[in-house]
């Protein structure tokens, strides 16, 4: 009886070790197939290794895939030393812009040690259109480029939900955000970023936000139930949630400083740097905001409605202290 109990305990221990075993980091190669699935909603392609994640990037960027349903089944380490090519990115400057148009469910797993340098669309995803991206954690990652975000560089008509990120963002042009760098929505299109958090890291750029950098187009963007804990350092416009643009922002909070590298031209806000045609409801800022035009909620606003919002951080206006556009 003791032998049977001992054998059972050994089997259980080995099972736990097996379940907790981490895949090796990415070796820079591309898998030839996914771990399973057929890409349907009922049976999504299963991604269990970094090489299989690289397969998704390869197929999307070569326009032979990226339009189905995908699910992570393991945590993935991208290795740091290998440069990640975002999912949805022009391979050649003369190419069209291939986009990820499918559904990606991170299934609560973590993608770590992602490194991107000098990319025109920098993030786990570079370009998306009509996509859904959800339930992903990105840790210990470094992204450098234009239109830069740890989840996606640029999105269109896309849903991003329940994602958390930790890492650094540096931006050599404009439009950078902890979750998404840039959102383009044509008339009639809608994007949404919800339940997302930027936890730890550093974010520096020209137009930058803790959740999203900038918006463009006549469509709609909703930012809901999102939180920023990362210090935002900008050169032109910066906000704890949105750097510049138009959005409906609900139930969002900023818990980090928003500061300036160029105080003479800088617009800084606890929720939005520059808000254009925004509706901001039930949002709160808890940390210091510093800029030439600074506000606890908005640094500058154009046709923006602010309801039930509050600021508990210091607001330091280096210039134009009495300007009416300072909100908060």
């Amino acid at each position: 009886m003791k032998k049977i109990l001992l054998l059972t305990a050994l089997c259980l221990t080995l099972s736990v070790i097996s379940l907790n075993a981490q895949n090796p980091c990415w070796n820079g190669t591309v898998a030839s197939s996914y771990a399973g699935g057929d890409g349907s909603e009922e049976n999504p392609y299963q991604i269990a290794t970094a090489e299989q994640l690289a397969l998704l990037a390869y197929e999307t960027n070569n326009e032979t895939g990226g339009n189905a349903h995908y699910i992570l089944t393991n945590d993935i380490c991208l290795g740091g030393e290998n440069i990640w090519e975002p999912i949805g990115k022009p391979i050649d400057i003369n190419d069209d812009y291939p986009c990820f148009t499918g559904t990606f469910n991170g299934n609560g797993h973590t993608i770590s040690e992602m490194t991107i340098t000098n990319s025109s669309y920098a993030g786990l995803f570079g370009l998306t259109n009509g996509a859904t991206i959800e339930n992903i954690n990105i840790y210990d990652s470094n992204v450098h480029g234009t239109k830069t975000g740890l989840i996606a560089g640029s999105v269109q008509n896309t849903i991003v939900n329940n994602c958390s990120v930790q890492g650094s963002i540096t931006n050599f042009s404009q439009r950078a955000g902890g979750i998404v760098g840039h959102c383009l929505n044509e008339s009639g299109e809608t994007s949404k970023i919800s339940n997302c958090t930027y936890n730890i890291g550093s974010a520096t750029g020209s137009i930058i936000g803790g959740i999203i950098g900038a918006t463009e187009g006549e469509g709609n963007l909703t930012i809901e139930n999102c939180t920023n804990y990362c210090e935002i350092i900008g050169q032109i416009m910066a906000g704890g949630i949105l750097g510049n643009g138009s959005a409906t922002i609900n139930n969002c909070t900023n818990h980090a400083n928003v500061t300036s590298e160029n105080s003479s031209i800088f617009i800084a806000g606890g929720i939005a740097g520059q808000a254009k045609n925004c509706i901001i409801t039930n949002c709160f800022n808890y940390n210091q905001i510093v800029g030439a035009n600074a506000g606890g909620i908005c640094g500058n606003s154009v046709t923006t409605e602010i309801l039930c919002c509050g600021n508990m951080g210091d607001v330091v206006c280096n210039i134009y202290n009495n300007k009416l556009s300072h909100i908060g």
Side-chain angles (χ1 to χ4, degrees), residues 34-317:
Y34 297 107
D38 59 16
S40 65
E41 184 175 0
E42 298 77 18
N43 189 22
Y45 287 124
Q46 298 171 24
I47 297 174
T49 67
E51 291 73 30
Q52 290 165 358
L53 188 64
L55 175 61
L56 174 56
Y58 176 85
E59 290 183 342
T60 303
N61 296 343
N62 286 276
E63 300 184 284
T64 59
N67 56 354
H69 296 267
Y70 306 83
I71 188 168
L72 281 187
T73 60
N74 279 317
D75 292 346
I76 287 177
C77 170
L78 291 177
E81 295 180 359
N82 294 306
I83 304 302
W84 176 249
E85 289 291 336
I87 302 165
K89 178 182 181 294
I91 295 175
D92 185 85
I93 194 170
N94 297 314
D95 285 348
D96 291 332
Y97 286 58
C99 296
F100 178 77
T101 60
T103 297
F104 186 93
N105 183 358
N107 203 24
H109 288 291
T110 296
I111 295 172
S112 61
E113 298 185 35
M114 176 177 66
T115 300
I116 302 172
T117 59
N118 300 327
S119 175
S120 55
Y121 294 89
L124 176 64
F125 293 84
L127 289 159
T128 72
N129 192 341
T132 296
I133 302 165
E134 58 187 355
N135 305 323
I136 310 171
N137 306 304
I138 294 182
Y139 292 164
D140 300 326
S141 295
N142 299 288
V143 179
H144 176 73
T146 63
K147 294 188 175 76
T148 305
L150 286 162
I151 296 293
S154 183
V155 302
Q156 182 173 353
N157 202 29
T158 289
I159 294 171
V160 179
N161 179 51
N162 196 32
C163 297
S164 69
V165 299
Q166 295 182 13
S168 67
I169 298 168
T170 51
N171 173 243
F172 57 78
S173 180
Q174 297 181 359
R175 306 181 182 106
I179 303 296
V180 171
H182 168 257
C183 177
L184 168 64
N185 280 328
E186 303 291 352
S187 180
E189 294 180 335
T190 300
S191 291
K192 185 173 184 178
I193 304 171
S194 57
N195 305 303
C196 291
T197 304
Y198 190 4
N199 286 304
I200 300 169
S202 60
T204 304
S206 297
I207 297 176
I208 189 164
I211 299 300
I212 180 169
T215 71
E216 185 181 355
E218 298 180 357
N220 299 311
L221 169 67
T222 297
I223 308 168
E224 191 169 81
N225 300 325
C226 292
T227 305
N228 173 56
Y229 292 97
C230 177
E231 182 177 15
I232 306 299
I233 302 171
Q235 290 129 9
I236 299 174
M237 299 174 190
I241 300 298
L242 167 69
N244 175 48
S246 175
T248 298
I249 308 175
N250 300 319
N251 303 319
C252 293
T253 56
N254 174 58
H255 295 266
N257 293 341
V258 180
T259 59
S260 169
E261 287 187 338
N262 188 343
S263 61
S264 64
I265 62 172
F266 188 69
I267 297 172
I271 299 301
Q274 178 159 273
K276 298 184 290 186
N277 303 314
C278 289
I279 299 173
I280 304 175
T281 306
N282 198 32
C283 292
F284 295 88
N285 171 62
Y286 293 97
N287 264 66
Q288 186 179 71
I289 311 300
V290 180
N293 293 274
I297 303 301
C298 299
N300 188 52
S301 65
V302 180
T303 322
T304 288
E305 187 174 4
I306 300 172
L307 302 168
C308 302
C309 294
N311 171 51
M312 306 212 33
D314 293 332
V315 177
V316 181
C317 296

Side-chain angles (χ1 to χ4, degrees), residues 16-35:
V16 170
I17 292 171
S18 177
L19 286 172
N20 292 332
Q22 190 173 20
N23 283 328
C25 288
W26 186 34
N27 60 18
T29 65
V30 178
S32 59
S33 63
Y34 297 107

